[in-house]
Amino acid sequence: MKKYIIAVAILLVAMVSTQAVAEEGKFNIGLASKSLTIIVDDGFSINAFSWGGLAIVGGYDFTDYISLNGALYTLVETADTNSEMSGFDADVRFGPNGLGFTYYGSLGYFSDTWNGSTSGISEDYSGGSFGVGIGYNWENVNLNWNIFSLRSSGDYQGSSTADFTVGSGSLGVAYRF
């Protein structure tokens, strides 16, 4: 919970500290459908673990080509509904963010906490990410498809010798103000 409070505080301070706060259409807040997939390749077999759920998303456009965006989420594993992944991610997006069609590349940071189904095991993961997405901005509404965001897999991998690939994506609608 402490991580959520710190992440929200950082996002709010960054958004409010800019001189362009009075400009309309710079902020957005909304909901998104989010997914997270971890692919484990041990050389003999490939296993995929997937989580899905809702996220609260928000962002601020610093310039016409740079924005800060974040999400708070709780996801449930598709194969085991008692397995939960919760966390936040934040990224800086580079690409046009005015009215109309948008596209971007992003660099970001994530922090997840996995709570095992019946085992009571809990693990924390964090690291960097990069991704791409597209969207469309109307005057008061934003539609955003984060096509994929590849995450650093070191924390997920731990001491395992298998290869891990970790990615996330989302589709969201937000109110622009």
Side-chain angles (χ1 to χ4, degrees), residues 39-50:
I39 300 171
V40 181
D41 181 356
D42 64 6
F44 300 104
S45 63
I46 297 174
N47 295 307
F49 304 93
S50 297

Side-chain angles (χ1 to χ4, degrees), residues 4 31-38 49-57 71-89 110-117 121 123 125 146 149 151 156 166-171:
Y4 297 128
L31 290 174
S33 173
K34 187 165 182 70
S35 65
L36 172 71
T37 301
I38 301 172
F49 304 93
S50 297
W51 288 262
L54 290 177
I56 297 172
V57 295
L72 296 172
Y73 50 87
T74 299
L75 311 174
V76 176
E77 188 175 5
T78 55
D80 179 1
T81 57
N82 293 317
S83 176
E84 183 179 278
M85 187 78 74
S86 60
F88 74 90
D89 56 32
F110 70 90
S111 179
D112 291 331
T113 299
W114 170 71
N115 291 308
S117 58
I121 297 174
E123 294 285 334
Y125 312 106
N146 183 343
S149 185
R151 295 178 167 197
Y156 293 100
V166 183
S168 67
S170 65
L171 178 62

Side-chain angles (χ1 to χ4, degrees), residues 119-139:
S119 63
I121 297 174
S122 179
E123 294 285 334
D124 293 323
Y125 312 106
S126 62
S129 66
F130 72 93
V132 298
I134 59 173
Y136 197 89
N137 290 332
W138 290 272
E139 186 174 334

